[in-house]
């Protein structure tokens, strides 16, 4: 259940996006209950390699990651931004506890429901884990970092979530993060790497159409929450990958000329035949872009962890 102010922000963002040219909607709104369920389905799809390769890195290089975090030097907070179901993190937590590392796990997520499930799961699985879940937008919770605790912080930002920012916004995000952390802290980020464009495109255009449903679900959400009258059948999902920009993008295309009204906004929006709504960017990186981005935001790459196929990297940064 959303608060009235969250609902107003959603409505205001929809107004801005559908009044713009070209039209857009923010992919951060994909994750209502049904959207979160569909994303869980996506992570199991044969075409969606991202989750599997990051899991491979965490399961096969746990000891190396532990060493790189310098987890033995004293108490620290293991902060996870956008924690979701914590599947990969549980591999680290398990290993760290076995090594008797002194840490508190701080999962931060916008979804209260996801946090509740995660906290219950981790409490049952790891009886001696200290856990302090925080609900909120991680952009906003960054502001509380300085006053959080004196302990060292290792911040996890996994799952290629950074890809949904686009490059310029990612850069701004790292700069704001740099402003609230201290020497000795670390940032561990999951980046999806540029590869055969066909492999990338398939990941966002799966044969079963789950990614299409995931995008179309935002129209259903607007119908339910904002009193819109989108007919989902009159829109179709279109995915593209631009190899020079390294950007996968998703669009919903209006299959015909149509007008949609949104009661909560007291507005109607006209769509020309085959007019796109830009839905999501999933930026893919190269190692040199990662290095440049780290430097430009006041960090240095200390170590990179790759999967076997070098599809993906978990990059550890320290502030300079
Ligand atoms: C959450 N995020 C990293 C996913 C991605 O790969 O950009 C969201 C997604 N969109 C379509 N499929 C998965």
């Amino acid at each position: 259940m959303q608060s009235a102010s969250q609902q107003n922000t959603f409505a205001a963002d929809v107004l801005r996006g559908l009044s713009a040219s070209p039209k857009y909607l923010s992919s951060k709104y994909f994750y209502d209950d049904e959207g979160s369920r569909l994303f869980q389905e996506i992570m199991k799809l044969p075409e969606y390699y991202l989750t599997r390769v990051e899991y491979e890195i965490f399961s096969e290089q746990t000891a190396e990651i532990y060493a790189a975090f310098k987890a033995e030097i004293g108490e620290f907070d293991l902060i996870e931004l956008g924690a979701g179901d914590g599947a990969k993190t549980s591999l680290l937590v398990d290993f760290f506890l076995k090594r008797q590392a002194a840490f508190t796990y701080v999962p931060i997520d916008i979804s209260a429901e996801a946090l509740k499930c995660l906290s219950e799961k981790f409490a049952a699985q790891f009886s001696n884990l200290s856990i302090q879940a925080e609900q909120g937008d991680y952009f906003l919770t960054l502001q509380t970092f300085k006053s959080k605790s004196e302990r060292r912080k290792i911040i996890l930002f996994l799952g290629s979530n950074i890809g949904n920012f686009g490059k310029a916004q990612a850069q701004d995000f790292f700069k704001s993060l740099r402003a609230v952390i201290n020497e000795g802290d670390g940032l561990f980020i999951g980046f999806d790497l540029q590869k055969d464009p066909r492999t990338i495109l398939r990941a966002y255009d799966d044969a079963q159409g789950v990614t299409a449903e995931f995008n179309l679900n935002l129209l259903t959400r607007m119908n339910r929450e904002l009193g819109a009258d989108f007919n989902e059948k009159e829109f179709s999902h279109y995915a593209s990958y631009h190899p020079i920009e390294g950007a996968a993008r998703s669009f919903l295309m209006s299959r015909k000329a149509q007008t949609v009204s949104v009661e909560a906004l007291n507005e109607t929006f006209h769509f020309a035949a085959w007019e796109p709504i830009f839905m999501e960017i999933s930026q893919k990186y190269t190692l040199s872009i990662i290095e440049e981005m780290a430097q430009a935001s006041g960090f240095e790459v200390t170590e990179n962890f790759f999967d076997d196929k070098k599809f993906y990297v978990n990059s550890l940064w320290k502030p300079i």
Side-chain angles (χ1 to χ4, degrees):
M1 192 61 193
Q2 297 219 93
S3 69
S5 90
Q6 281 169 328
Q7 204 65 2
N8 289 341
T9 317
F10 180 32
D13 286 347
V14 167
L15 177 61
R16 200 171 311 117
L18 294 186
S19 310
S21 179
K23 292 181 173 64
Y24 67 89
L25 291 168
S26 168
S27 61
K28 74 176 180 197
Y29 293 114
F30 282 174
Y31 303 91
D32 62 354
D33 287 348
E34 178 61 2
S36 303
R37 188 194 68 75
L38 287 165
F39 184 55
Q40 294 293 322
E41 289 299 306
I42 288 176
M43 290 194 289
K44 292 182 217 144
L45 290 170
E47 296 95 334
Y48 196 76
Y49 58 84
L50 289 83
T51 313
R52 275 187 300 279
V53 293
E54 193 174 50
Y55 195 86
E56 176 196 316
I57 296 171
F58 274 59
S59 57
E60 290 179 11
Q61 300 175 65
T62 332
E64 289 80 0
I65 295 171
Y66 173 80
F69 283 5
K70 300 191 170 60
E72 70 292 342
I73 63 177
E75 276 186 63
F76 67 99
D77 286 336
L78 186 66
I79 303 175
E80 180 163 16
L81 304 179
D85 68 0
K88 287 153 277 187
T89 317
S90 73
L91 296 168
L92 292 188
V93 165
D94 186 40
F95 190 92
F96 287 17
L97 288 173
K98 284 182 181 139
R99 295 288 171 106
Q100 281 160 0
F103 69 102
T104 298
Y105 176 51
V106 186
I108 302 177
D109 205 285
I110 189 91
S111 158
E113 189 53 34
L115 272 182
K116 188 169 159 270
C117 289
L118 175 71
S119 304
E120 285 170 2
K121 193 169 82 179
F122 274 37
Q125 202 179 343
F126 309 112
S127 53
N128 48 349
L129 174 67
S130 150
I131 170 162
Q132 262 171 36
E134 269 182 46
Q135 197 246 327
D137 181 326
Y138 41 71
F139 264 107
L140 300 177
T141 48
L142 286 190
Q143 310 316 320
T144 67
F145 272 31
K146 272 242 180 272
S147 57
K148 207 182 258 321
S149 79
E150 291 297 301
R151 289 189 295 271
R152 197 162 75 89
K153 297 181 198 55
I154 302 282
I155 300 158
L156 309 176
F157 194 40
L158 308 177
S160 179
N161 285 337
I162 193 67
N164 299 129
F165 285 181
K167 275 194 282 190
Q169 215 193 335
Q171 181 79 81
D172 290 346
F173 177 70
F174 290 133
K175 281 187 183 153
S176 352
L177 201 49
R178 175 65 191 92
V180 294
I181 66 170
N182 301 309
E183 211 182 309
D185 292 348
L187 181 54
F188 196 52
I189 316 143
F191 290 99
D192 192 19
L193 294 172
Q194 295 184 12
K195 59 185 67 62
D196 184 337
R198 284 160 284 241
T199 306
I200 295 174
L201 189 54
R202 273 196 297 271
Y204 294 93
D205 197 16
D206 65 280
Q208 291 172 53
V210 185
T211 311
E213 261 189 81
F214 181 59
N215 278 263
L216 288 163
N217 178 58
L218 184 46
L219 305 186
T220 312
R221 179 175 187 181
M222 291 192 286
N223 287 351
R224 189 182 59 245
E225 295 184 16
L226 304 178
D229 62 355
F230 283 97
N231 178 351
E232 294 88 340
K233 294 196 175 57
E234 299 297 355
F235 288 83
S236 75
H237 168 248
Y238 175 75
S240 73
Y241 178 68
H242 191 301
I244 295 175
E245 294 174 19
R249 291 189 178 86
S250 293
F251 303 88
L252 286 179
M253 311 292 304
S254 174
R255 302 167 75 98
K256 63 173 193 187
Q258 55 185 316
T259 300
V260 171
S261 70
V262 183
E263 205 180 85
L265 297 172
N266 213 2
E267 280 284 349
T268 57
F269 299 96
H270 182 71
F271 294 84
W274 297 109
E275 182 177 348
I277 314 174
F278 168 51
M279 304 295 284
E280 183 179 52
I281 182 165
S282 299
Q283 181 68 42
K284 309 302 168 192
Y285 282 86
T286 62
L287 288 180
S288 55
I289 299 175
I290 293 172
E291 294 264 344
E292 276 166 31
M293 196 168 269
Q295 268 190 12
S297 43
F299 290 92
E300 186 177 86
V301 177
T302 50
E303 201 164 338
N304 283 326
F305 298 86
F306 301 94
D307 61 297
D308 258 4
K309 292 197 285 242
K310 289 218 163 174
F311 269 15
Y312 195 92
V313 63
N314 283 106
S315 190
L316 182 62
W317 295 7
K318 70 171 188 195
I320 43 171

